[in-house]
Amino acid sequence: MKRIADPFNSWECLVQTIDVGGRVRTFTLVTPPGGEFARLLLVFHGSTQRGEVFRKFTGNAFDEIAGTAVAYLDGFRGNWNDARKGSRFPARVHDIDDVAFAEAVVKRVADGRETYAAGYSNGGGMVIRLLHERPDLIAGAAIVAAQQPMPDNLLVPGLPVVPKPVVIFHGTKDRIVPYQGGEMAHWAQLAFRVGGGMLSAPETAAYFAGRNGITTAPVETALPRRSGPPVTRIDHRQDGCAPVTLYAVHGGGHTVPGPKASPVLMGRTATDVLTVPAMVDFFAFTVLS
């Protein structure tokens, strides 16, 4: 366990190690002052990142969820063994058990508290795998710049469906994971060592809505625009069913909506809709008194 300096806030920040099937894994755990928290949030970074890198990449935004401990997990050599059959990076080649890693962190940290998962890009694919393979571990999921694999590209098909609330964020001009779905561009497949077909972002939202038993048509709302690319919220809601919401960032790139813009090569970042406040509203998190 290693304590690291945190110039951004007064919360405790520790790098921890944990044994998962004989392999040592690491994660950065951020907890509120005094150590009290109501829930745990697992955060899965994008390809070639680490947990602490993604934390800085997002301007520490996930740390700001009141009453929440945040575990930024580190992938194997920068990647996750996600839900796509077409993945070819070391985490898949070596069949790394990232599901067991998530479970181990939940058991160590959550201590019976509700746990949520959020992931970006390859990390979003890992969250999708959890929703299919171990939905019992999480109470809800946030997926950023990632999509549901097409049936012939899904690594974990045929498992029992457990409805979960899901909120999705995706840019319509994402050059790495195209909003309209299908296969990634050839250069992206080579660069990130992935492949296979994906549903579009709206189809991904509809897919999870169907799993949740929602049969009503989605409702689209254009959100007020102040700066940055415009955003449409697409809500799948029905009484008695876990909701699904897609935030479509028009002209947005392969980015995490928030106050900190991603590098220019990643495309435009939405600043009107921020991922963390949207998550808090969607999941109706309550704050410790």
Side-chain angles (χ1 to χ4, degrees):
M1 184 180 297
K2 178 183 177 184
R3 191 181 307 273
I4 61 177
D6 184 7
F8 295 95
N9 54 47
S10 61
W11 291 27
E12 187 171 57
C13 187
L14 297 172
V15 176
Q16 298 195 18
T17 61
I18 192 166
D19 183 277
V20 182
R23 187 182 300 275
V24 176
R25 305 299 299 271
T26 58
F27 64 98
T28 300
L29 180 65
V30 182
T31 53
E36 275 196 73
F37 56 95
R39 70 192 66 83
L40 171 65
L41 175 65
L42 304 176
V43 176
F44 297 88
H45 58 72
S47 294
T48 73
Q49 295 181 320
R50 289 176 55 84
E52 186 60 22
V53 170
F54 183 70
R55 184 172 177 240
K56 295 175 182 176
F57 179 75
T58 55
N60 292 47
F62 290 96
D63 296 3
E64 298 173 4
I65 304 176
T68 303
V70 185
Y72 295 87
L73 283 65
D74 295 324
F76 179 78
R77 299 185 189 175
N79 284 101
W80 302 103
N81 191 354
D82 63 16
R84 297 170 290 186
K85 280 185 180 178
S87 297
R88 304 185 303 275
F89 32 68
R92 172 61 49 75
V93 172
H94 294 279
D95 195 24
I96 300 301
D97 196 344
D98 286 322
V99 173
F101 180 23
E103 180 180 15
V105 174
V106 170
K107 286 182 176 179
R108 174 183 289 186
V109 180
D111 193 24
R113 300 174 181 87
E114 278 193 331
T115 298
Y116 294 78
Y120 164 67
S121 192
N122 175 218
M126 186 62 215
V127 172
I128 288 171
R129 180 165 187 172
L130 289 179
L131 283 166
H132 287 83
E133 191 169 337
R134 289 299 306 273
D136 57 301
L137 288 179
I138 56 177
I143 300 168
V144 185
Q147 295 156 329
Q148 171 66 22
M150 289 183 178
D152 63 354
N153 191 33
L154 179 59
L155 186 70
V156 286
L159 299 176
V161 173
V162 179
K164 296 290 176 179
V166 179
V167 59
I168 302 167
F169 305 84
H170 211 118
T172 63
K173 295 296 183 182
D174 189 327
R175 296 177 58 245
I176 297 175
V177 181
Y179 182 87
Q180 65 271 22
E183 294 210 13
M184 295 167 61
H186 185 63
W187 69 266
Q189 293 187 45
L190 292 176
F192 296 102
R193 289 185 282 181
V194 294
M198 309 294 288
L199 300 182
S200 70
E203 288 170 341
T204 296
Y207 170 85
F208 284 107
R211 285 170 61 91
N212 291 356
I214 298 173
T215 58
T216 56
V219 175
E220 296 190 19
T221 305
L223 301 187
R225 185 181 182 187
R226 295 181 297 276
S227 62
V231 178
T232 297
R233 190 182 69 219
I234 303 170
D235 291 306
H236 295 260
R237 291 180 180 267
Q238 186 172 321
D239 289 347
C241 299
V244 176
T245 291
L246 165 64
Y247 286 94
V249 182
H250 299 281
H254 194 67
T255 59
V256 181
K260 183 175 180 179
S262 297
V264 174
L265 290 175
M266 306 297 285
R268 299 179 70 192
T269 301
T271 54
D272 283 350
V273 170
L274 310 184
T275 300
V276 168
M279 284 176 53
V280 170
D281 179 66
F282 179 78
F283 294 122
F285 286 156
T286 55
V287 180
L288 286 171
S289 59

